[in-house]
Protein backbone atom coordinates (compact mmCIF):
# COMPACT_ATOMS: atom_id res chain seq x y z
CA UNK A 1 0.00 0.00 0.00
CA UNK A 2 1.28 3.49 -0.77
CA UNK A 3 2.39 5.77 2.07
CA UNK A 4 -0.49 8.19 1.37
CA UNK A 5 -3.11 5.41 1.58
CA UNK A 6 -1.57 4.02 4.77
CA UNK A 7 -1.74 7.41 6.46
CA UNK A 8 -5.32 8.05 5.31
CA UNK A 9 -6.38 4.65 6.71
CA UNK A 10 -4.56 5.38 9.95
CA UNK A 11 -6.28 8.75 10.32
CA UNK A 12 -9.72 7.18 9.79
CA UNK A 13 -8.99 4.33 12.25
CA UNK A 14 -7.48 6.52 14.96
CA UNK A 15 -9.95 9.39 14.80
CA UNK A 16 -13.38 7.75 14.84
CA UNK A 17 -16.51 9.86 14.35
CA UNK A 18 -14.58 12.81 12.87
CA UNK A 19 -15.84 12.78 9.25
CA UNK A 20 -14.88 16.38 8.49
CA UNK A 21 -11.32 15.73 9.65
CA UNK A 22 -11.12 12.57 7.50
CA UNK A 23 -12.45 14.55 4.54
CA UNK A 24 -9.88 17.32 4.94
CA UNK A 25 -6.96 14.90 5.31
CA UNK A 26 -8.09 12.84 2.30
CA UNK A 27 -8.50 15.92 0.13
CA UNK A 28 -5.04 17.24 1.00
CA UNK A 29 -3.10 13.97 0.89
CA UNK A 30 -4.75 12.79 -2.34
CA UNK A 31 -3.65 15.94 -4.11
CA UNK A 32 -0.14 15.68 -2.62
CA UNK A 33 0.26 12.11 -3.87
CA UNK A 34 2.59 13.04 -6.72
CA UNK A 35 4.89 15.03 -4.40
CA UNK A 36 4.87 12.42 -1.64
CA UNK A 37 5.53 9.57 -4.03
CA UNK A 38 8.55 11.38 -5.46
CA UNK A 39 10.08 11.55 -1.93
CA UNK A 40 8.35 8.55 -0.37
CA UNK A 41 11.43 6.94 1.23
CA UNK A 42 12.57 10.09 3.06
CA UNK A 43 9.10 11.15 4.17
CA UNK A 44 8.28 7.64 5.37
CA UNK A 45 11.52 7.38 7.37
CA UNK A 46 10.85 10.76 9.00
CA UNK A 47 7.15 9.84 9.53
CA UNK A 48 6.48 13.25 8.06
CA UNK A 49 2.84 12.56 7.20
CA UNK A 50 2.09 10.96 10.57
CA UNK A 51 3.50 14.06 12.24
CA UNK A 52 1.59 16.34 9.88
CA UNK A 53 -1.81 14.77 10.61
CA UNK A 54 -1.28 14.59 14.38
CA UNK A 55 -1.76 17.95 16.12
CA UNK A 56 1.15 19.06 18.28
CA UNK A 57 -1.32 19.66 21.10
CA UNK A 58 -5.11 19.46 21.65
CA UNK A 59 -6.67 21.25 24.58
CA UNK A 60 -10.27 20.47 25.61
CA UNK A 61 -11.74 22.25 28.60
CA UNK A 62 -14.89 22.97 30.59
CA UNK A 63 -16.48 26.42 30.19
CA UNK A 64 -18.98 27.10 33.00
CA UNK A 65 -20.93 30.37 33.00
CA UNK A 66 -24.09 31.79 34.55
CA UNK A 67 -27.06 32.78 32.36
CA UNK A 68 -29.45 35.70 32.98
CA UNK A 69 -31.78 33.51 35.03
CA UNK A 70 -28.99 32.57 37.43
CA UNK A 71 -28.70 29.07 35.93
CA UNK A 72 -25.20 27.65 35.47
CA UNK A 73 -24.50 26.53 31.89
CA UNK A 74 -21.59 24.35 30.82
CA UNK A 75 -19.99 24.35 27.36
CA UNK A 76 -16.90 22.65 26.00
CA UNK A 77 -13.92 24.70 24.82
CA UNK A 78 -11.30 23.57 22.29
CA UNK A 79 -7.94 24.74 21.04
CA UNK A 80 -6.02 22.55 18.63
CA UNK A 81 -2.41 23.69 18.18
CA UNK A 82 -1.76 21.79 14.99
CA UNK A 83 1.59 22.79 13.55
CA UNK A 84 4.14 25.45 14.54
CA UNK A 85 6.86 24.64 12.00
CA UNK A 86 6.72 28.03 10.29
CA UNK A 87 5.45 30.30 13.08
CA UNK A 88 3.21 30.68 16.14
CA UNK A 89 -0.15 28.87 15.87
CA UNK A 90 -2.71 31.10 14.18
CA UNK A 91 -6.38 30.42 13.46
CA UNK A 92 -9.85 31.45 14.53
CA UNK A 93 -12.24 30.54 17.33
CA UNK A 94 -15.60 29.16 16.16
CA UNK A 95 -18.62 29.55 18.44
CA UNK A 96 -21.46 27.40 17.06
CA UNK A 97 -23.54 24.50 18.45
CA UNK A 98 -22.12 22.19 15.74
CA UNK A 99 -18.56 22.57 17.05
CA UNK A 100 -16.80 19.37 18.14
CA UNK A 101 -13.19 18.16 18.14
CA UNK A 102 -13.45 16.74 14.59
CA UNK A 103 -14.61 20.08 13.15
CA UNK A 104 -11.86 21.95 14.98
CA UNK A 105 -9.26 19.45 13.74
CA UNK A 106 -10.42 19.76 10.12
CA UNK A 107 -10.21 23.52 10.36
CA UNK A 108 -6.83 23.43 12.12
CA UNK A 109 -5.40 21.03 9.55
CA UNK A 110 -6.54 23.21 6.63
CA UNK A 111 -5.16 26.25 8.43
CA UNK A 112 -1.59 24.87 8.28
CA UNK A 113 -1.55 25.03 4.48
CA UNK A 114 -3.55 28.23 4.23
CA UNK A 115 -1.16 30.04 6.56
CA UNK A 116 1.82 28.68 4.67
CA UNK A 117 0.36 29.91 1.37
CA UNK A 118 0.18 33.49 2.64
CA UNK A 119 4.00 33.57 2.71
CA UNK A 120 3.83 34.95 6.27
CA UNK A 121 5.40 33.29 9.36
CA UNK A 122 2.29 31.72 10.93
CA UNK A 123 1.64 28.12 11.99
CA UNK A 124 -1.74 26.38 12.03
CA UNK A 125 -4.28 26.19 14.85
CA UNK A 126 -8.02 26.47 15.46
CA UNK A 127 -10.37 26.55 18.42
CA UNK A 128 -13.85 27.31 19.60
CA UNK A 129 -16.78 26.02 21.56
CA UNK A 130 -20.27 24.55 21.16
CA UNK A 131 -21.61 27.77 22.72
CA UNK A 132 -24.18 29.57 20.56
CA UNK A 133 -24.03 33.37 20.87
CA UNK A 134 -27.33 33.66 18.97
CA UNK A 135 -30.20 34.77 21.20
CA UNK A 136 -27.90 35.46 24.18
CA UNK A 137 -27.73 38.81 25.94
CA UNK A 138 -24.49 40.79 25.87
CA UNK A 139 -23.97 39.93 29.53
CA UNK A 140 -24.33 36.21 28.83
CA UNK A 141 -21.89 36.42 25.91
CA UNK A 142 -19.44 38.25 28.18
CA UNK A 143 -19.82 35.65 30.92
CA UNK A 144 -19.10 32.87 28.44
CA UNK A 145 -16.13 34.68 26.83
CA UNK A 146 -14.55 35.44 30.21
CA UNK A 147 -14.86 31.85 31.37
CA UNK A 148 -13.55 30.57 28.02
CA UNK A 149 -10.53 32.89 28.16
CA UNK A 150 -9.80 32.13 31.83
CA UNK A 151 -8.77 28.65 30.71
CA UNK A 152 -7.50 29.43 27.19
CA UNK A 153 -5.15 32.16 28.49
CA UNK A 154 -2.87 29.46 29.93
CA UNK A 155 -2.00 28.23 26.45
CA UNK A 156 -1.82 31.28 24.18
CA UNK A 157 0.37 34.39 23.79
CA UNK A 158 1.60 36.86 21.18
CA UNK A 159 4.58 34.62 20.33
CA UNK A 160 2.99 31.20 20.87
CA UNK A 161 -0.62 31.09 19.69
CA UNK A 162 -2.73 33.98 18.40
CA UNK A 163 -6.44 33.14 17.94
CA UNK A 164 -8.87 35.25 15.89
CA UNK A 165 -12.58 35.36 15.01
CA UNK A 166 -14.57 32.83 12.99
CA UNK A 167 -18.25 31.87 12.79
CA UNK A 168 -19.95 33.31 15.88
CA UNK A 169 -16.85 35.16 17.08
CA UNK A 170 -17.01 38.77 15.97
CA UNK A 171 -15.76 42.07 17.36
CA UNK A 172 -17.91 41.82 20.50
CA UNK A 173 -16.61 38.38 21.48
CA UNK A 174 -12.96 39.24 20.66
CA UNK A 175 -13.27 42.38 22.84
CA UNK A 176 -14.53 40.43 25.87
CA UNK A 177 -11.86 37.77 25.41
CA UNK A 178 -9.05 40.33 25.02
CA UNK A 179 -10.18 42.14 28.19
CA UNK A 180 -10.13 38.92 30.19
CA UNK A 181 -6.70 37.87 28.84
CA UNK A 182 -5.25 41.26 29.81
CA UNK A 183 -6.74 41.05 33.29
CA UNK A 184 -5.50 37.52 33.96
CA UNK A 185 -2.05 37.69 32.34
CA UNK A 186 -1.35 41.37 33.00
CA UNK A 187 -0.08 41.71 29.44
CA UNK A 188 -1.16 44.20 26.78
CA UNK A 189 -0.03 42.25 23.74
CA UNK A 190 -1.30 41.14 20.34
CA UNK A 191 -2.66 37.84 21.60
CA UNK A 192 -5.85 38.00 19.54
CA UNK A 193 -6.52 39.46 16.12
CA UNK A 194 -9.75 40.95 14.83
CA UNK A 195 -9.56 43.46 17.68
CA UNK A 196 -11.42 46.78 17.66
CA UNK A 197 -9.58 49.75 16.17
CA UNK A 198 -9.42 51.51 19.56
CA UNK A 199 -7.33 48.73 21.12
CA UNK A 200 -4.90 47.40 18.53
CA UNK A 201 -7.07 46.19 15.66
CA UNK A 202 -6.03 46.64 12.05
CA UNK A 203 -7.86 48.70 9.49
CA UNK A 204 -9.19 46.49 6.67
CA UNK A 205 -9.28 43.33 8.83
CA UNK A 206 -13.09 43.32 8.76
CA UNK A 207 -13.11 43.49 4.97
CA UNK A 208 -10.05 41.29 4.41
CA UNK A 209 -11.48 37.82 3.79
CA UNK A 210 -14.21 38.96 1.40
CA UNK A 211 -11.98 41.48 -0.39
CA UNK A 212 -9.15 38.93 -0.60
CA UNK A 213 -11.54 36.40 -2.14
CA UNK A 214 -12.33 38.84 -4.92
CA UNK A 215 -8.69 39.84 -5.45
CA UNK A 216 -7.65 36.23 -6.03
CA UNK A 217 -10.74 35.53 -8.15
CA UNK A 218 -9.95 38.55 -10.33
CA UNK A 219 -6.30 37.51 -10.73
CA UNK A 220 -7.28 33.96 -11.66
CA UNK A 221 -9.83 35.20 -14.21
CA UNK A 222 -7.30 37.67 -15.63
CA UNK A 223 -4.72 34.90 -16.09
CA UNK A 224 -7.37 32.88 -17.94
CA UNK A 225 -8.34 35.76 -20.21
CA UNK A 226 -11.46 36.88 -18.35
CA UNK A 227 -12.46 39.28 -15.56
CA UNK A 228 -15.22 40.04 -13.06
CA UNK A 229 -16.72 43.01 -14.89
CA UNK A 230 -20.30 42.31 -15.94
CA UNK A 231 -20.41 38.83 -14.41
CA UNK A 232 -23.43 37.57 -12.47
CA UNK A 233 -22.29 36.18 -9.12
CA UNK A 234 -24.04 33.81 -6.70
CA UNK A 235 -22.89 34.26 -3.10
CA UNK A 236 -23.97 32.18 -0.11
CA UNK A 237 -23.84 33.37 3.49
CA UNK A 238 -24.67 36.77 4.90
CA UNK A 239 -21.90 37.07 7.45
CA UNK A 240 -18.53 38.76 7.50
CA UNK A 241 -17.06 36.98 4.48
CA UNK A 242 -20.19 37.16 2.30
CA UNK A 243 -20.89 40.84 2.97
CA UNK A 244 -17.43 42.08 2.00
CA UNK A 245 -17.19 39.67 -0.93
CA UNK A 246 -20.43 41.20 -2.25
CA UNK A 247 -19.10 44.71 -1.67
CA UNK A 248 -15.78 44.13 -3.47
CA UNK A 249 -17.49 42.21 -6.30
CA UNK A 250 -19.65 45.28 -6.92
CA UNK A 251 -16.62 47.59 -6.81
CA UNK A 252 -14.98 45.41 -9.48
CA UNK A 253 -18.05 45.67 -11.72
CA UNK A 254 -19.65 42.29 -10.94
CA UNK A 255 -23.29 41.73 -10.01
CA UNK A 256 -23.88 39.56 -6.92
CA UNK A 257 -27.54 38.47 -6.97
CA UNK A 258 -27.86 36.11 -3.97
CA UNK A 259 -27.02 35.72 -0.29
CA UNK A 260 -28.24 33.30 2.39
CA UNK A 261 -28.36 32.58 6.10
CA UNK A 262 -29.06 29.48 8.13
CA UNK A 263 -32.80 29.65 7.46
CA UNK A 264 -33.21 30.89 3.89
CA UNK A 265 -31.85 32.75 0.89
CA UNK A 266 -32.37 35.85 -1.18
CA UNK A 267 -32.49 36.23 -4.95
CA UNK A 268 -32.24 39.86 -5.97
CA UNK A 269 -31.90 40.11 -9.77
CA UNK A 270 -31.12 43.83 -9.54
CA UNK A 271 -28.06 43.07 -7.42
CA UNK A 272 -27.74 42.77 -3.65
CA UNK A 273 -28.08 46.07 -1.77
CA UNK A 274 -25.02 45.66 0.43
CA UNK A 275 -25.79 48.59 2.74
CA UNK A 276 -29.22 47.12 3.50
CA UNK A 277 -27.66 43.69 4.07
CA UNK A 278 -25.11 45.19 6.47
CA UNK A 279 -27.83 47.00 8.40
CA UNK A 280 -29.83 43.79 8.79
CA UNK A 281 -26.95 41.44 9.64
CA UNK A 282 -24.30 43.61 11.32
CA UNK A 283 -26.52 46.07 13.19
CA UNK A 284 -29.90 44.42 13.79
CA UNK A 285 -28.57 40.82 13.74
CA UNK A 286 -31.89 39.92 12.08
CA UNK A 287 -33.06 37.37 9.48
CA UNK A 288 -32.99 37.77 5.71
CA UNK A 289 -36.78 37.97 5.59
CA UNK A 290 -36.22 41.62 6.59
CA UNK A 291 -34.14 42.15 3.44
CA UNK A 292 -36.98 40.91 1.23
CA UNK A 293 -39.46 43.02 3.17
CA UNK A 294 -37.38 46.15 2.56
CA UNK A 295 -36.58 45.60 -1.13
CA UNK A 296 -39.13 45.16 -3.91
CA UNK A 297 -36.78 43.43 -6.37
CA UNK A 298 -35.86 40.65 -3.88
CA UNK A 299 -37.37 37.19 -3.44
CA UNK A 300 -36.94 35.30 -0.15
CA UNK A 301 -36.94 31.47 -0.17
CA UNK A 302 -36.84 29.16 2.85
CA UNK A 303 -34.04 26.57 3.03
CA UNK A 304 -31.19 26.08 0.55
CA UNK A 305 -31.18 27.17 -3.09
CA UNK A 306 -28.49 29.72 -3.93
CA UNK A 307 -26.73 27.38 -6.38
CA UNK A 308 -29.87 26.91 -8.49
CA UNK A 309 -29.59 30.49 -9.72
CA UNK A 310 -28.01 31.12 -13.13
CA UNK A 311 -24.58 32.69 -12.56
CA UNK A 312 -21.10 33.04 -14.06
CA UNK A 313 -19.24 32.85 -10.76
CA UNK A 314 -20.16 31.11 -7.49
CA UNK A 315 -18.70 32.20 -4.17
CA UNK A 316 -19.71 29.90 -1.28
CA UNK A 317 -19.16 32.00 1.87
CA UNK A 318 -21.30 30.34 4.59
CA UNK A 319 -20.04 27.05 6.01
CA UNK A 320 -18.59 23.59 5.31
CA UNK A 321 -20.24 21.18 2.84
CA UNK A 322 -22.89 23.65 1.67
CA UNK A 323 -22.26 22.98 -2.05
CA UNK A 324 -22.85 19.32 -2.94
CA UNK A 325 -22.80 17.28 -6.14
CA UNK A 326 -26.36 18.25 -7.15
CA UNK A 327 -25.48 21.91 -6.63
CA UNK A 328 -22.33 21.46 -8.73
CA UNK A 329 -24.41 19.89 -11.52
CA UNK A 330 -26.83 22.81 -11.42
CA UNK A 331 -23.98 25.32 -11.60
CA UNK A 332 -22.38 23.58 -14.59
CA UNK A 333 -25.74 23.29 -16.36
CA UNK A 334 -26.24 27.03 -15.83
CA UNK A 335 -22.88 27.92 -17.40
CA UNK A 336 -20.91 28.82 -14.27
CA UNK A 337 -17.20 29.32 -15.13
CA UNK A 338 -15.61 29.71 -11.69
CA UNK A 339 -16.15 28.63 -8.08
CA UNK A 340 -13.95 30.27 -5.45
CA UNK A 341 -14.43 29.28 -1.82
CA UNK A 342 -14.87 32.07 0.73
CA UNK A 343 -15.83 29.63 3.48
CA UNK A 344 -13.73 26.72 4.73
CA UNK A 345 -14.40 23.50 2.76
CA UNK A 346 -17.89 24.56 1.58
CA UNK A 347 -17.69 22.23 -1.43
CA UNK A 348 -17.94 18.47 -0.95
CA UNK A 349 -15.18 16.33 -2.50
CA UNK A 350 -17.43 14.86 -5.22
CA UNK A 351 -18.74 18.32 -6.10
CA UNK A 352 -15.19 19.68 -6.39
CA UNK A 353 -14.22 16.82 -8.70
CA UNK A 354 -17.33 17.33 -10.82
CA UNK A 355 -16.65 21.05 -11.20
CA UNK A 356 -13.01 20.48 -12.14
CA UNK A 357 -13.89 17.71 -14.63
CA UNK A 358 -16.37 20.05 -16.27
CA UNK A 359 -13.82 22.80 -16.78
CA UNK A 360 -14.95 25.11 -13.97
CA UNK A 361 -12.01 27.06 -12.48
CA UNK A 362 -11.99 26.16 -8.81
CA UNK A 363 -9.95 27.87 -6.08
CA UNK A 364 -10.13 26.12 -2.70
CA UNK A 365 -10.80 28.01 0.54
CA UNK A 366 -7.33 27.54 1.90
CA UNK A 367 -6.10 29.86 -0.85
CA UNK A 368 -9.19 31.90 -1.65
CA UNK A 369 -10.07 32.91 1.91
CA UNK A 370 -6.48 33.32 3.14
CA UNK A 371 -6.85 37.12 3.04
CA UNK A 372 -8.40 36.99 6.52
CA UNK A 373 -5.54 35.27 8.23
CA UNK A 374 -2.99 37.19 6.16
CA UNK A 375 -4.44 40.47 7.42
CA UNK A 376 -4.49 39.03 10.94
CA UNK A 377 -0.77 38.46 10.54
CA UNK A 378 -0.46 42.09 9.41
CA UNK A 379 -2.35 43.04 12.61
CA UNK A 380 0.27 41.05 14.59
CA UNK A 381 3.07 42.97 12.84
CA UNK A 382 1.43 46.31 13.66
CA UNK A 383 0.98 45.26 17.32
CA UNK A 384 4.64 44.24 17.57
CA UNK A 385 5.73 47.55 16.04
CA UNK A 386 3.17 49.44 18.16
CA UNK A 387 2.13 51.24 14.98
CA UNK A 388 -1.06 51.40 12.92
CA UNK A 389 -1.00 51.34 9.16
CA UNK A 390 -3.57 53.13 6.98
CA UNK A 391 -6.46 51.30 5.31
CA UNK A 392 -4.78 51.76 1.92
CA UNK A 393 -1.48 50.32 3.19
CA UNK A 394 -3.13 47.20 4.60
CA UNK A 395 -5.44 46.77 1.60
CA UNK A 396 -2.48 47.17 -0.78
CA UNK A 397 -0.50 44.49 1.08
CA UNK A 398 -3.57 42.23 1.07
CA UNK A 399 -3.94 42.64 -2.68
CA UNK A 400 -0.26 41.73 -3.24
CA UNK A 401 -0.55 38.71 -0.96
CA UNK A 402 -3.62 37.37 -2.81
CA UNK A 403 -2.02 37.88 -6.23
CA UNK A 404 1.12 36.07 -4.98
CA UNK A 405 -0.93 33.21 -3.57
CA UNK A 406 -2.59 32.71 -6.94
CA UNK A 407 0.74 32.61 -8.76
CA UNK A 408 2.28 30.27 -6.17
CA UNK A 409 -0.49 27.74 -6.58
CA UNK A 410 -0.68 28.17 -10.34
CA UNK A 411 3.11 27.62 -10.63
CA UNK A 412 3.02 24.60 -8.29
CA UNK A 413 0.21 23.01 -10.33
CA UNK A 414 2.14 23.59 -13.56
CA UNK A 415 5.42 22.29 -12.08
CA UNK A 416 3.79 18.98 -11.12
CA UNK A 417 1.99 18.56 -14.45
CA UNK A 418 -1.48 19.55 -13.23
CA UNK A 419 -1.98 22.93 -14.91
CA UNK A 420 -5.25 24.56 -13.91
CA UNK A 421 -5.74 22.25 -10.91
CA UNK A 422 -5.67 24.93 -8.24
CA UNK A 423 -6.65 22.49 -5.49
CA UNK A 424 -3.50 20.46 -6.06
CA UNK A 425 -1.47 23.63 -6.57
CA UNK A 426 -2.61 25.11 -3.24
CA UNK A 427 -1.96 21.93 -1.31
CA UNK A 428 1.45 21.40 -2.89
CA UNK A 429 2.64 24.98 -2.45
CA UNK A 430 1.39 25.09 1.16
CA UNK A 431 2.81 21.67 2.00
CA UNK A 432 6.33 22.06 0.59
CA UNK A 433 7.20 25.02 2.82
CA UNK A 434 5.87 23.32 5.97
CA UNK A 435 7.55 19.99 5.11
CA UNK A 436 10.86 21.74 4.52
CA UNK A 437 10.64 23.56 7.88
CA UNK A 438 9.63 20.36 9.71
CA UNK A 439 12.56 18.46 8.22
CA UNK A 440 15.01 21.26 9.05
CA UNK A 441 13.85 21.35 12.68
CA UNK A 442 14.40 17.64 13.30
CA UNK A 443 12.10 15.18 15.02
CA UNK A 444 10.07 17.41 17.35
P1 LIG B 1 -20.34 34.62 10.10
O1 LIG B 1 -20.75 33.99 11.38
O2 LIG B 1 -20.12 36.10 10.04
O3 LIG B 1 -21.37 34.24 8.92
C1 LIG B 1 -21.66 32.93 8.60
C2 LIG B 1 -22.83 32.94 7.64
O4 LIG B 1 -23.11 31.61 7.24
C3 LIG B 1 -24.09 33.48 8.26
O5 LIG B 1 -24.85 34.09 7.26
C4 LIG B 1 -24.79 32.22 8.78
O6 LIG B 1 -26.18 32.36 8.87
C5 LIG B 1 -24.43 31.22 7.71
N1 LIG B 1 -24.32 29.87 8.29
C6 LIG B 1 -23.60 29.47 9.36
N2 LIG B 1 -23.77 28.16 9.60
C7 LIG B 1 -24.63 27.73 8.67
C8 LIG B 1 -25.21 26.47 8.38
N3 LIG B 1 -24.93 25.39 9.11
N4 LIG B 1 -26.05 26.41 7.31
C9 LIG B 1 -26.32 27.51 6.55
N5 LIG B 1 -25.80 28.71 6.78
C10 LIG B 1 -24.97 28.82 7.82
O7 LIG B 1 -19.03 33.84 9.64
P2 LIG B 1 -17.92 34.27 8.60
O8 LIG B 1 -18.54 35.03 7.48
O9 LIG B 1 -16.81 34.88 9.35
O10 LIG B 1 -17.41 32.85 8.10
C11 LIG B 1 -18.01 32.16 7.01
C12 LIG B 1 -17.07 31.07 6.55
O11 LIG B 1 -15.81 31.65 6.17
C13 LIG B 1 -16.71 30.01 7.60
O12 LIG B 1 -16.49 28.77 6.95
C14 LIG B 1 -15.39 30.52 8.16
O13 LIG B 1 -14.63 29.47 8.75
C15 LIG B 1 -14.76 31.03 6.89
N6 LIG B 1 -13.69 32.01 7.08
C16 LIG B 1 -13.91 33.19 7.73
C17 LIG B 1 -12.90 34.10 7.85
C18 LIG B 1 -13.12 35.45 8.44
O14 LIG B 1 -12.18 36.25 8.41
N7 LIG B 1 -14.28 35.75 8.97
C19 LIG B 1 -11.53 33.80 7.36
C20 LIG B 1 -11.44 32.58 6.61
C21 LIG B 1 -12.48 31.72 6.52
P3 LIG B 1 -26.88 33.16 10.10
O15 LIG B 1 -26.84 34.60 9.73
O16 LIG B 1 -28.25 32.58 10.14
O17 LIG B 1 -26.07 32.85 11.31
Amino acid sequence: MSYVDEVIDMVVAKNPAQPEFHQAVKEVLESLRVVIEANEETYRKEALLERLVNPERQIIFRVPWVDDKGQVQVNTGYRVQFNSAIGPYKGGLRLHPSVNIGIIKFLGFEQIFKNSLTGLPIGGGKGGSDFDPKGKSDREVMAFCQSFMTELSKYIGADTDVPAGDIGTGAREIGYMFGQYKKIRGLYEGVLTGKGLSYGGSLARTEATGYGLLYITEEMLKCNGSDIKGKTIAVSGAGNVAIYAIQKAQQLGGKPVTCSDSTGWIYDPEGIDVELLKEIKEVKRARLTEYAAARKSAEYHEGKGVWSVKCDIALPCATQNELNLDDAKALVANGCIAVCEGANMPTTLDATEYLQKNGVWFIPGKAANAGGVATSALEMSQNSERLSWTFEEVDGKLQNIMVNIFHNLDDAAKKYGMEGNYVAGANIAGFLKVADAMTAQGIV
Side-chain angles (χ1 to χ4, degrees):
M1 196 189 262
S2 80
Y3 185 32
V4 165
D5 292 322
E6 266 174 40
V7 174
I8 291 176
D9 284 357
M10 184 270 287
V11 165
V12 173
K14 279 199 174 177
N15 301 273
Q18 297 180 9
E20 292 86 1
F21 181 50
H22 303 166
Q23 183 183 343
V25 170
K26 274 182 204 161
E27 186 263 316
V28 170
L29 295 194
E30 284 296 350
S31 66
L32 290 177
R33 205 176 269 280
V34 43
V35 183
I36 308 287
E37 282 170 2
N39 298 282
E40 182 152 337
E41 207 180 322
T42 317
Y43 286 159
R44 205 188 259 276
K45 186 147 188 273
E46 288 182 3
L48 191 104
L49 293 187
E50 289 86 339
R51 287 191 286 142
L52 194 69
V53 298
N54 268 299
E56 291 175 17
R57 199 169 296 103
Q58 304 181 52
I59 302 142
I60 303 183
F61 50 97
R62 182 173 72 200
V63 189
W65 56 279
V66 182
D67 72 16
D68 285 348
K69 295 190 186 102
Q71 174 66 47
V72 175
Q73 302 287 342
V74 181
N75 288 99
T76 305
Y78 304 91
R79 186 71 184 165
V80 173
Q81 298 180 330
F82 224 116
N83 191 301
S84 62
I86 63 169
Y89 311 104
K90 182 95 199 80
L93 296 170
R94 178 172 293 190
L95 299 182
H96 193 271
S98 64
V99 164
N100 57 45
I101 188 66
I103 300 245
I104 298 297
K105 278 166 67 180
F106 119 63
L107 291 163
F109 185 69
E110 290 275 300
Q111 196 83 42
I112 303 169
F113 307 99
K114 178 190 304 193
N115 292 2
S116 169
L117 277 173
T118 64
L120 301 168
I122 39 179
K126 196 81 188 188
S129 173
D130 57 357
F131 172 78
D132 188 358
K134 267 196 209 130
K136 306 286 191 303
S137 69
D138 285 351
R139 196 210 59 82
E140 288 176 322
V141 171
M142 181 167 72
F144 167 82
C145 289
Q146 290 181 340
S147 179
F148 182 79
M149 184 50 84
T150 300
E151 188 60 23
L152 186 67
S153 64
K154 298 170 187 165
Y155 310 101
I156 61 175
D159 293 316
T160 49
D161 184 356
V162 184
D166 189 66
I167 291 179
T169 307
R172 175 182 59 172
E173 290 76 15
I174 291 286
Y176 292 148
M177 289 183 197
F178 184 76
Q180 185 72 353
Y181 179 87
K182 183 165 62 75
K183 184 179 167 89
I184 292 179
R185 298 286 300 266
L187 287 172
Y188 204 108
E189 59 172 6
V191 66
L192 290 163
T193 57
K195 298 186 293 298
L197 291 178
S198 57
Y199 63 97
S202 174
L203 285 163
R205 174 60 189 92
T206 307
E207 295 83 354
T209 309
Y211 277 23
L213 172 64
L214 269 296
Y215 293 146
I216 198 169
T217 303
E218 178 76 329
E219 185 65 15
M220 182 270 289
L221 290 174
K222 211 173 80 188
C223 292
N224 285 293
S226 184
D227 63 12
I228 285 170
K229 215 170 177 83
K231 300 285 187 301
T232 300
I233 306 176
V235 178
S236 65
N240 173 264
V241 181
I243 287 174
Y244 293 96
I246 290 170
Q247 187 171 71
K248 183 54 72 178
Q250 287 172 343
Q251 288 171 8
L252 294 174
K255 189 178 183 196
V257 292
T258 64
C259 61
S260 65
D261 65 13
S262 39
T263 52
W265 60 285
I266 291 287
Y267 174 53
D268 189 343
E270 297 205 343
I272 297 291
D273 179 340
V274 78
E275 290 310 318
L276 176 61
L277 184 62
K278 274 191 192 181
E279 172 70 19
I280 289 167
K281 285 292 173 184
E282 290 182 345
V283 182
K284 295 188 186 159
R285 296 178 192 255
R287 312 255 39 111
L288 284 176
T289 40
E290 292 210 11
Y291 180 97
R295 196 153 151 96
K296 271 208 184 90
S297 54
E299 298 166 12
Y300 174 81
H301 302 269
E302 286 288 326
K304 264 192 73 174
V306 160
W307 313 125
S308 63
V309 167
K310 188 169 169 49
C311 67
D312 304 303
I313 299 170
L315 304 175
C317 297
T319 192
Q320 64 269 7
N321 294 329
E322 52 155 318
L323 196 164
N324 62 26
L325 183 58
D326 288 339
D327 300 322
K329 286 180 178 166
L331 286 170
V332 169
N334 279 330
C336 175
I337 58 167
V339 175
C340 302
E341 296 183 324
N344 285 314
M345 210 169 72
T347 315
T348 58
L349 282 179
D350 51 0
T352 304
E353 280 164 18
Y354 184 87
L355 292 167
Q356 288 181 310
K357 271 190 196 134
N358 284 278
V360 176
W361 297 311
F362 182 91
I363 308 188
K366 65 173 71 70
N369 69 32
V373 74
T375 309
S376 278
L378 300 179
E379 183 174 331
M380 288 165 72
S381 300
Q382 294 170 75
N383 292 162
S384 301
E385 284 187 336
R386 306 222 186 280
L387 286 175
S388 298
W389 304 338
T390 63
F391 187 97
E392 289 70 26
E393 255 177 300
V394 180
D395 190 36
K397 287 183 201 293
L398 169 66
Q399 221 163 327
N400 284 337
I401 289 168
M402 298 313 295
V403 167
N404 283 337
I405 291 176
F406 175 71
H407 289 286
N408 283 342
L409 57 90
D410 190 35
D411 291 347
K414 284 179 181 151
K415 185 170 169 199
Y416 285 90
M418 291 182 274
E419 182 164 357
N421 185 343
Y422 304 132
V423 174
N427 287 332
I428 293 168
F431 167 79
L432 286 174
K433 183 175 172 192
V434 174
D436 186 61
M438 285 174 73
T439 301
Q441 290 169 26
I443 307 306
V444 290

